[in-house]
Amino acid sequence: MYAPQEDTELLAGALSEEPVPPGADVLDVGTGSGALAVAAARRGAQVTAVDVSRRAVCAARLNALRAGVSVRVRRGNLFAPVRGRSFDLILANPPYVPAPGERGLPRGPARAWDAGSDGRLVLDRICREAPALLRPGGVLLLVQSALSDPELTLARLREAGLKAAVTRRRRIAFGPVLRAREHWLRERGLLTATENREELVVIRAELPV
């Protein structure tokens, strides 16, 4: 399970600035601990949270109970548990860290961060599938690393008919995962020889009315 870190905090800040009327339907995909789902529920939204990890599903349910809010938590792969539904707001903190290709599909805890050799294993699916789940005027808020090409995310969301822009940025120190593969990232050209901080960005994409 992915414990809340700087990317969760950055996305929570974007959520706090988003108008979320009481009763709005919100989806938190890849919910992890449920921190964002709880934050949305505290604002009176009807929240559905999804995660592929059984441990994350249990943690999200427990944290919602502790917070005294109602969150519908479902286990499943990305949008599979909510097919046929639509939402006013989708929150996404997907895996986005590039990983050496020989690792194959991530397993265990690494599913929370490893995202293929270009970091886009899940990001590209979100770009393809999320627009169809948004209501007119609905918004997708997504956080990712600059290492996994935010410009490509923007381009793909715009191709799907959404108005998309980077609304927040933050540079953070390398965590344990990036430190462990720092040499590989530099060899790939994803980090310069002197770069020692990672940039996180929040992308806001809106489906026009």
Side-chain angles (χ1 to χ4, degrees), residues 81-157:
V82 294
R83 294 294 180 207
R85 295 185 58 191
S86 61
F87 298 90
D88 300 297
L89 175 64
I90 297 175
L91 304 167
N93 183 359
Y96 52 66
V97 179
E102 64 271 13
R103 291 173 182 261
L105 289 176
R107 294 176 178 274
R111 290 184 301 182
W113 55 80
D114 278 359
S117 61
D118 59 0
R120 300 198 58 87
L121 187 66
V122 180
L123 281 166
D124 284 338
R125 284 189 59 196
I126 292 173
C127 291
R128 287 194 306 269
E129 299 176 30
L133 276 69
L134 288 174
R135 295 171 181 167
V139 170
L140 166 68
L141 290 177
L142 177 151
V143 65
Q144 69 170 92
S145 171
L147 297 172
S148 46
D149 199 347
E151 290 301 320
L152 184 54
T153 300
L154 291 170
R156 290 186 171 163
L157 290 171

Side-chain angles (χ1 to χ4, degrees), residues 2-13 93 96 143 170-175 197-198 200 202:
Y2 186 82
Q5 297 183 34
E6 288 94 338
D7 50 2
T8 303
E9 181 184 342
L10 191 63
L11 192 54
N93 183 359
Y96 52 66
V143 65
R170 179 180 298 174
R171 297 187 71 82
I172 64 170
F174 291 164
R197 296 179 76 80
E198 178 188 16
L200 302 176
V202 171

Side-chain angles (χ1 to χ4, degrees), residues 70-84:
S70 176
V71 175
R72 180 184 299 169
V73 186
R74 296 288 181 265
R75 180 173 178 264
N77 192 329
L78 210 59
F79 300 113
V82 294
R83 294 294 180 207

